[in-house]
Amino acid sequence: MKVGKTEQSMVAENEMTQSKILRYHDDYSWDERARRIYKDEDGNWKGVTRTSLIGGSDGLPVPFHLRYFEVEAGGFSTLEKHEHQHVVVIVRGCGQVTLGSRQAPVGYGDVVYIAPWEAHQFCNPDGPEPLRSEEHTSELQSHVRISYAVFCLK
C-alpha cells in the first residue's frame, strides 16, 4: 500500500509524540540508541562516550535531555562550567568528581548536585570499571536548564 506524503508526515509526527519504552540491554545499551564519542570537537577529555536516550537529536518534543555517559578507566570528562545545573547519580563503579576547587571520591548510589556556573569534571583514574551515567537536562525557562545524570564508574 502506497502512503501519501501527508500520511507519512502524520505517521512520523505521531511517533514523536507517543509514549515509548527504550529497552535496556545488559551491555549498557538501549534499543534504537547508538553510543557515540563524548564530544565532536577535540578537547581536554579522554575515554568518554555518551548515548542520547530521550530529547535532543531523537526529535521527541520534551523540555529535557536524558543521556547516558561512560568514562573508561583512566578517562575524564571536560572540566567545564555552564549556565545549567546537573544532578548526577552514580550507578556503577567509583571515581572522582571535581566541583570548583574541591575534589571528592564518588561511587555507586552517590548523588552529586552541580550548581550553575560551577566548574565540574568526572574522572575515573583507577578503574577497574568504566564510569557510566544518564543525564537529564530540562529547559524550565528561556535559558535555564537542569541536568540529571547517572554515572557508572567501572
Side-chain angles (χ1 to χ4, degrees), residues 8-20:
Q8 286 177 342
S9 298
M10 288 172 44
V11 168
E13 184 178 315
N14 193 32
E15 287 175 357
M16 289 192 301
T17 59
Q18 288 185 343
S19 299
K20 67 184 335 179

Side-chain angles (χ1 to χ4, degrees), residues 43-111:
N44 191 19
W45 59 272
K46 176 184 171 188
V48 182
T49 59
R50 105 177 153 183
T51 304
S52 291
L53 298 173
I54 301 291
S57 62
D58 69 3
L60 288 173
V62 294
F64 61 87
H65 295 170
L66 178 63
R67 293 175 275 201
Y68 172 81
F69 292 86
E70 287 189 9
V71 181
E72 297 174 0
F76 50 90
S77 65
T78 305
L79 178 62
E80 61 186 5
K81 59 183 179 177
H82 38 66
E83 187 176 20
H84 59 276
Q85 53 197 329
H86 297 284
V87 175
V88 177
V89 180
I90 308 300
V91 297
R92 184 173 175 192
C94 59
Q96 186 173 40
V97 64
T98 299
L99 299 170
S101 61
R102 301 175 291 146
Q103 292 186 339
V106 290
Y108 176 79
D110 288 344
V111 177

Side-chain angles (χ1 to χ4, degrees), residues 27-45:
D27 64 349
Y28 294 91
S29 67
W30 288 262
D31 286 345
E32 305 172 25
R33 299 297 183 258
R35 187 171 295 162
R36 303 190 188 290
I37 62 170
Y38 173 54
K39 294 185 176 184
D40 292 332
E41 68 275 0
D42 291 332
N44 191 19
W45 59 272

Side-chain angles (χ1 to χ4, degrees), residues 118-131:
E118 177 91 65
H120 58 280
Q121 180 180 45
F122 287 88
C123 301
N124 187 10
D126 302 319
E129 308 179 70
L131 160 65

